[in-house]
Amino acid sequence: MDHADEEEAFELLWIVLAGLAENESAPEDVRERVADFARPGPIHQPGAADESAPRTEREIPEERLLELAADEDTRMDIAEREHLSPAVLDLLVTTALSRDWDAHLIAYGLAPRRELSEDTRAELLDLMDDTPGSFPTGLLRTPELEWLRLAPLGERLPYAASPAWIMRATVASSPGLPGPVAATLWEDRDLRVAAEARLHPSTPREYIADILLRYELPISAWRFARHPSFPAEILPRLAGSGPPHRRFAAGCRALDPALIIALTEDPDGEVVAAAARNPSLPVPYMYSLLTRAGR
């Protein structure tokens, strides 16, 4: 084994030990022996949005807000303010659609806002989608969209046909949807909307299997793995091959011991971490990992 391989093996072993520190089924002495590997704070899954702290906004005169909204050093902060006048909002939208260097970041702050027309919202989202690496599913978890997710059903349903994918996805994640509306959203033209719709607890198992096996969903795979209708029979296919996000989803489920052990040896760090955290990881194997690490 050359030096690079040794470093990679050491790094993956470190990830396994960090996972063991978070494994709720690990014996107390195992967790004590790897306690220094535990990450501080709550455990977050890839793609899981953090809870946003309540924001308090100081009063700023309208004239000053317009100045700040025009300044490239401050306009992103202004775009995320809870209360904006029509004039300030119009200035920010115009700036974003002009495709200046930070346009997609301004769009990220503006897109969830209730005040926007659906056509303007769709334009902003198109701008974000044009930016490499800007797959903005985290936007769905922002407090700014709670107005729609928690709105009375009659107010929500028209947004199921919005030209802006984020609005359709928000409706798809909301409770109490009529069956025909949910079924339409399962087959939405935008995969982000279809994924959010299929994550609903009432989604039939065949839709869960279909979206995991047919599509690339690295951000949402772990959420599908925890779905109450997750089809256990596809676990060997997920664990055995394919892109890392499928193996990661398998590692989040209770598996046959041989499969979960194999996933702790995966070349992908996220897969290894998921397997090491999995409560079905055999306890004797946990001790063998400690021995290998000299713990």
Side-chain angles (χ1 to χ4, degrees):
M1 180 181 295
D2 61 29
H3 182 67
D5 289 339
E6 288 179 358
E7 285 190 351
E8 183 177 352
F10 178 81
E11 182 180 352
L12 290 176
L13 182 57
W14 188 95
I15 292 172
V16 168
L17 297 180
L20 285 181
E22 298 166 354
N23 192 318
E24 298 177 355
S25 294
E28 185 176 351
D29 66 316
V30 169
R31 299 184 72 173
E32 287 177 355
R33 289 160 66 179
V34 293
D36 52 327
F37 286 87
R39 292 175 293 182
I43 300 171
H44 295 293
Q45 302 291 353
D50 295 329
E51 293 295 326
S52 297
R55 293 177 301 179
T56 56
E57 296 183 347
R58 63 187 179 91
E59 291 293 327
I60 301 177
E62 174 81 354
E63 182 177 343
R64 180 58 178 156
L65 276 177
L66 285 167
E67 292 176 359
L68 294 171
D71 189 324
E72 65 178 23
D73 293 327
T74 54
R75 56 195 181 195
M76 286 186 292
D77 291 333
I78 299 303
E80 295 179 352
R81 284 179 66 87
E82 185 175 357
H83 302 291
L84 293 178
S85 70
V88 173
L89 184 60
D90 183 64
L91 174 59
L92 289 167
V93 169
T94 301
T95 301
L97 295 180
S98 72
R99 296 177 178 265
D100 206 348
W101 71 271
D102 60 350
H104 67 288
L105 297 175
I106 303 172
Y108 193 94
L110 295 176
R113 302 190 71 92
R114 187 171 192 167
E115 309 97 303
L116 294 179
S117 73
E118 292 309 288
D119 287 338
T120 298
R121 196 187 320 276
E123 284 188 81
L124 291 170
L125 290 169
D126 285 343
L127 175 65
M128 293 166 66
D129 292 346
D130 285 344
T131 305
S134 67
F135 195 74
T137 50
L139 211 55
L140 294 172
R141 309 269 83 80
T142 57
E144 287 82 359
L145 282 169
E146 287 302 291
W147 66 268
L148 178 57
R149 189 175 288 108
L150 302 178
L153 184 62
E155 293 180 24
R156 265 183 283 147
L157 289 183
Y159 288 98
S162 168
W165 72 262
I166 193 174
M167 309 307 278
R168 303 196 306 277
T170 301
V171 172
S173 70
S174 67
L177 290 182
V181 175
T184 298
L185 292 170
W186 291 338
E187 304 293 350
D188 193 272
R189 63 185 181 276
D190 192 303
L191 184 56
R192 291 164 292 192
V193 179
E196 200 65 30
R198 296 182 192 205
L199 281 163
H200 196 279
S202 63
T203 301
R205 58 195 286 114
E206 59 267 23
Y207 283 94
I208 305 301
D210 174 70
I211 206 161
L212 273 175
L213 294 173
R214 288 181 55 196
Y215 300 109
E216 297 296 322
L217 289 171
I219 292 176
S220 300
W222 71 273
R223 295 174 63 200
F224 279 101
R226 284 170 168 73
H227 194 281
S229 297
F230 184 90
E233 64 271 15
I234 72 170
L235 282 171
R237 290 180 64 186
L238 293 177
S241 62
H245 75 269
R246 293 182 188 169
R247 305 196 303 275
F248 178 87
C252 291
R253 295 293 297 195
L255 290 170
D256 174 89
L259 284 178
I260 197 69
I261 288 172
L263 289 173
T264 65
E265 305 285 349
D266 195 273
D268 185 86
E270 293 289 357
V271 176
V272 169
R277 286 194 297 263
N278 195 306
S280 64
L281 186 68
V283 171
Y285 186 70
M286 296 182 189
Y287 284 109
S288 72
L289 290 170
L290 294 179
T291 300
R292 189 192 314 173
R295 309 288 293 186

